[in-house]
Amino acid sequence: DAGVTQSPTHLIKTRGQQVTLRCSPKSGHDTVSWYQQALGQGPQFIFQYYEEEERQRGNFPDRFSGHQFPNYSSELNVNALLLGDSALYLCASRYWDRGLMGYTFGSGTRLTVV
Amino acid sequence: ILNVEQSPQSLHVQEGDSTNFTCSFPSSNFYALHWYRWETAKSPEALFVMTLNGDEKKKGRISATLNTKEGYSYLYIKGSQPEDSATYLCAFNNAGNMLTFGGGTRLMVKP
């Protein structure tokens, strides 16, 4: 059973461009969250999608937007890229196990903005 | 803004040493505390989800304790092995939809 898969693994974009990152949750998981990890920091919550709607959002500007599809997969879009958007972007899908809520993470997309 | 801190930031130990690190988090509105092990170029691997004050969980040589009243959790590794080298992340969940992560503890075990 595949875990959370993310694509692409790496990409390089130019300032001002737009980027789309993709995530497929683990089979059976219906809720997807996105996190940004800048160098030397812990991951920071961007937003979460459930039933194709954004349910909660972290402290990120409107340039960051997302979408969830009927098959539960998700996209993260970033417009007007800034150098500071260079980071590892992680996707996580949520599960319940014996009453405990947990998150399974993908291995991330490394975005470099030049 | 929720503040989750981990210490130390990095740690070098010899193979066979036992070690521990700390995660501190807000003591109010607690729902769960998560520990992850993260090797470079891989996905973070869930170690423990802890919810009850005084809880202690164990997975092989790794164990964790939780004190929700004072807002801290300890992760212990007994008899460290080179394959334990990784970044260990804790994440606080206050029953919302987000995890608030600490900055991680980077462990390097020398053979």
Side-chain angles (χ1 to χ4, degrees), chain B residues 17 58-63 76-84:
Chain B
D17 288 350
K58 189 175 181 182
K59 189 176 184 178
R61 294 179 292 99
I62 304 176
S63 60
Y76 300 91
I77 302 179
K78 185 178 179 182
S80 301
Q81 300 296 310
E83 57 265 31
D84 295 329

Side-chain angles (χ1 to χ4, degrees), chain B residues 29-50:
Chain B
N29 298 321
F30 177 86
Y31 178 79
L33 194 283
H34 301 246
W35 281 100
Y36 287 88
R37 177 177 177 275
W38 196 4
E39 291 182 70
T40 304
K42 295 186 178 179
S43 53
E45 172 198 356
L47 290 173
F48 306 112
V49 180
M50 308 181 79

Side-chain angles (χ1 to χ4, degrees), chain A residues 4-110:
Chain A
V4 176
T5 57
Q6 294 187 242
S7 63
T9 54
H10 298 82
L11 76 166
I12 300 173
K13 289 286 189 177
T14 304
R15 266 185 307 175
Q17 284 189 315
Q18 179 264 344
V19 69
T20 297
L21 311 182
R22 294 176 176 83
C23 171
S24 292
K26 188 171 180 177
S27 177
H29 296 186
D30 58 7
T31 303
V32 172
S33 302
W34 286 92
Y35 288 81
Q36 180 197 66
Q37 195 212 15
L39 200 62
Q41 299 180 21
Q44 291 198 359
F45 177 78
I46 303 175
F47 41 54
Q48 184 182 79
Y49 276 83
Y50 172 66
E51 292 186 333
E52 302 178 49
E53 290 188 11
E54 183 182 296
R55 298 293 174 165
Q56 188 170 352
R57 188 180 184 90
N59 189 26
F60 280 80
D62 292 344
R63 300 186 296 110
F64 289 75
S65 63
H67 189 78
Q68 185 179 33
F69 300 93
N71 67 353
Y72 309 127
S73 67
S74 177
E75 289 181 349
L76 164 66
N77 301 294
V78 187
N79 294 322
L81 283 166
L82 303 174
L83 295 179
D85 296 331
S86 296
L88 180 70
Y89 289 85
L90 292 166
C91 172
S93 62
R94 191 176 68 182
Y95 64 89
W96 292 91
D97 180 19
R98 289 168 286 182
L100 293 179
M101 180 170 63
Y103 293 87
T104 301
F105 281 83
S107 55
T109 294
R110 173 74 62 186

